[in-house]
Amino acid sequence: MMLNFFDQFMSPTHLGIPLMALALTLPWILFPASSARWLNNRLLTLQGWFINRFTQQLLLPLNLAGHKWAAILTSLMLFLITLNMLGLLPYTFTPTTQLSLNLGFAIPLWLATVFIGMRNQPTIALGHLLPEGTPTPLIPTLIIIETVSLLIRPIALGVRLTANLTAGHLLIQLIATAAFVLLPMMPAVAILTTAVLFLLTLLEIAVAMIQAYVFVLLLSLYLQENI
């Protein structure tokens, strides 16, 4: 039987029923619930500190109108980090390796920022399509270029997250397969390959967190342009 490295990215099914909804629901179950006590345990304290620091950093360049997005962006950040981290466990499925899911996150939120800009400041929002001081012959060309660059933003968000996670998972599987094959023939090389696999896993943990942060950060920058 030939090994297909892309089988790990197929949506899991059980009795013909897609389990994507279960994979998306599981992360919310893992978060500890807040309590009414004055002093919480260490996990809740650490979680609250992380959320507060991230929210402050994210909303720093935004005005008061953008602070309404704090709950959405922070929840999306935690959700993406949890999905990416759970996908690094053995025999698990990573929903964020699916381009359709990432575009489902990116397109509605990007459209919301565009609609906010067109409603609150239509002149400034449309002015982004034509830089100030543009020569007259270049105006039609620049408008087309800026429109395409605006429309490609949600696609870039989804493709960036999908490509980074997919590449990392493929590298981990390739190196793990190589270590398993080399173990009976060249044990020393297999041990060295396993060490490389361990370092790559640590790198993928960092990538899983950074890509979730970059996704939300770019959304906040798009929001900043339209408020």
Side-chain angles (χ1 to χ4, degrees):
M1 183 180 64
M2 295 186 62
L3 179 63
N4 189 354
F5 290 107
F6 291 93
D7 285 344
Q8 60 177 319
F9 304 117
M10 295 177 61
S11 179
T13 58
H14 182 67
L15 299 177
I17 302 174
L19 300 181
M20 177 66 81
L22 180 61
L24 294 176
T25 307
L26 181 61
W28 296 116
I29 303 175
L30 300 178
F31 289 116
S34 59
S35 63
R37 298 178 180 178
W38 285 9
L39 294 177
N40 295 318
N41 55 34
R42 292 182 178 88
L43 184 58
L44 279 175
T45 302
L46 182 62
Q47 175 184 314
W49 175 85
F50 172 77
I51 292 175
N52 290 334
R53 293 296 298 174
F54 170 74
T55 306
Q56 292 175 4
Q57 186 69 25
L58 187 67
L59 301 182
L60 191 60
L62 301 178
N63 56 23
L64 292 178
H67 292 183
K68 300 176 183 178
W69 286 61
I72 297 177
L73 296 179
T74 305
S75 301
L76 180 62
M77 167 76 174
L78 293 175
F79 187 57
L80 291 178
I81 286 181
T82 309
L83 285 177
N84 296 344
M85 297 290 286
L86 289 177
L88 294 174
L89 297 176
Y91 302 103
T92 56
F93 170 69
T94 311
T96 45
T97 56
Q98 306 296 312
L99 181 60
S100 57
L101 176 69
N102 295 332
L103 290 179
F105 285 140
I107 292 177
L109 293 174
W110 168 79
L111 277 177
T113 62
V114 174
F115 288 157
I116 287 175
M118 295 298 294
R119 184 190 64 179
N120 296 339
Q121 44 185 15
T123 304
I124 299 177
L126 293 176
H128 290 157
L129 301 179
L130 184 63
E132 186 177 358
T134 303
T136 304
L138 296 179
I139 288 178
T141 305
L142 281 181
I143 290 178
I144 295 175
I145 292 175
E146 292 296 329
T147 304
V148 171
S149 66
L150 177 65
L151 296 176
I152 208 173
R153 283 180 174 181
I155 301 175
L157 278 177
V159 171
R160 180 186 295 109
L161 182 58
T162 303
N164 281 281
L165 295 179
T166 302
H169 287 210
L170 283 176
L171 277 176
I172 288 178
Q173 187 169 3
L174 284 170
I175 296 179
T177 304
F180 181 76
V181 172
L182 291 173
L183 185 59
M185 297 182 295
M186 292 180 287
V189 179
I191 293 175
L192 181 61
T193 307
T194 305
V196 174
L197 177 63
F198 176 74
L199 296 177
L200 181 62
T201 304
L202 295 180
L203 177 62
E204 281 304 307
I205 293 175
V207 168
M209 301 179 67
I210 291 172
Q211 288 304 316
Y213 175 73
V214 169
F215 190 93
V216 176
L217 179 63
L218 290 176
L219 281 175
S220 69
L221 294 179
Y222 300 157
L223 178 64
Q224 181 184 357
E225 294 181 358
N226 292 283
I227 58 174

